[in-house]
Amino acid sequence: MRAIFVLCILCFPLAATAQTAALLTNAAQIHPPAAGYKFPNGTTFEYKGEWRIFDAGVATLRMDAAGGQQRIVGTADATGFVAKLFRVHDVFETFFDARTFCSLQLTKHVEEGSRVREINLRFDNAKKKSILDQKVPSTGETKHVENDTPGCVTDVVSGLFYIGSLKLEPGMSYVFPMNDGGKTVEVRLQVEGRESIKTDAGTFNTIRVKPEGGTGKSSIQIWYTDDAAHTPVRLRSRAFWGTLTMSLKRIDRAPATASGSAH
């Protein structure tokens, strides 16, 4: 049961193979934010995880403006019974272009079990390359990998907010490229329908979406608030190890400023 908590908070089953990479088509593209779209700058989203009947962990996501870029910091920690089975403490930081939503850089501090990894993933969109550098501090082991990209991709962290920036109506669908340091994969997003759900943060009218990509060995669903903000309220992953659900527990908002605008 390796890192089941992290699998859900990252949302997408992206273990890419040569076959999945070959599925990339011209239809796969990143759409820039619509005029007037507002990023949730200064807002921290806190989630709690449940696996089967157990508390699985906690996660946070926070977005802030960083000049012409957007910065997202995320944390994921296993708790309770799951933490006893497999320790998880991960910290993620990603930057993307505020005008285009193209990912620029993703760093990960990954503690899963006894293994610690430091990962830096850089996107050279002009040269159409993803450049991954990884180090295992305990052994000094390093890895350097470069892969082709279409020139503009999203990553597994900012991808959650990229989906929220899209127009979401039942029956709509999108195709977009995503990269996590390996081969770029084509994510197919289907907007499934509306649903009212209740979490510790309150009761929300939501729009449910289903992204599919990579190996397809797990099934992912995400619920966003059915309003202009499209706040991610719930994430659910179903796989051979069971179902993991991350539900919004709390929202902390900083005072609104002009920096919340996409333009």
Side-chain angles (χ1 to χ4, degrees):
M1 189 180 64
R2 182 183 181 276
I4 60 172
F5 178 60
V6 177
L7 285 176
C8 187
I9 195 58
L10 294 185
C11 307
F12 302 100
L14 291 179
T17 64
Q19 182 179 7
T20 59
L23 293 176
L24 285 172
T25 66
N26 291 332
Q29 59 181 304
I30 301 297
H31 297 278
Y37 174 76
K38 293 185 177 181
F39 295 108
N41 290 331
T43 304
T44 301
F45 305 95
E46 181 180 344
Y47 299 85
K48 74 171 185 179
E50 295 176 302
W51 176 64
R52 296 181 179 176
I53 62 172
F54 305 105
D55 289 339
V58 295
T60 63
L61 291 169
R62 178 185 172 89
M63 185 183 290
D64 289 287
Q69 302 176 10
Q70 291 294 126
R71 172 179 179 258
I72 304 171
V73 176
T75 65
D77 292 272
T79 60
F81 176 75
V82 171
K84 293 180 180 179
L85 292 176
F86 196 92
R87 179 178 180 272
V88 172
H89 172 64
D90 293 351
V91 180
F92 309 92
E93 182 179 41
T94 187
F95 291 86
F96 64 89
D97 189 298
R99 292 184 177 272
T100 64
F101 238 115
C102 300
S103 290
L104 301 171
Q105 184 174 358
L106 171 63
T107 60
K108 307 179 187 180
H109 170 82
V110 180
E111 297 181 31
E112 298 174 2
S114 60
R115 185 172 174 83
V116 178
R117 290 174 294 154
E118 301 291 347
I119 300 169
N120 182 70
L121 176 59
R122 183 169 59 88
F123 298 98
D124 189 329
N125 295 321
K127 295 182 178 179
K128 298 184 177 182
K129 291 285 185 181
S130 68
I131 303 147
L132 173 73
D133 287 289
Q134 176 178 293
K135 183 176 182 179
V136 180
S138 61
T139 64
E141 174 189 355
T142 62
K143 180 171 72 172
H144 177 84
V145 178
E146 296 188 17
N147 280 288
D148 295 332
T149 72
C152 178
V153 298
T154 189
D155 61 75
V156 293
V157 179
S158 61
L160 180 66
F161 291 95
Y162 170 67
I163 293 174
S165 75
L166 300 172
K167 183 178 180 180
L168 301 177
E169 292 288 341
M172 297 183 71
S173 62
Y174 296 90
V175 185
F176 58 90
M178 178 175 284
N179 188 286
D180 193 36
K183 301 293 185 181
T184 301
V185 299
E186 186 174 272
V187 177
R188 297 179 178 272
L189 181 76
Q190 184 67 40
V191 185
E192 295 186 320
R194 291 183 166 88
E195 186 177 347
S196 178
I197 63 173
K198 184 177 181 179
T199 76
D200 288 352
T203 301
F204 301 91
N205 293 322
T206 68
I207 189 84
R208 185 180 69 252
V209 305
K210 185 176 183 180
E212 295 181 310
T215 63
K217 291 184 178 179
S218 61
S219 174
I220 306 291
Q221 289 179 305
I222 310 171
W223 287 257
Y224 292 89
T225 54
D226 191 14
D227 55 19
H230 284 168
T231 300
V233 171
R234 177 168 289 166
L235 302 85
R236 179 168 290 158
S237 176
R238 293 184 175 92
F240 69 92
W241 38 258
T243 298
L244 179 63
T245 301
M246 302 295 300
S247 297
L248 186 63
K249 182 178 180 180
R250 180 175 174 171
I251 301 176
D252 288 327
R253 292 187 175 90
T257 66
S259 64
S261 174
H263 302 286

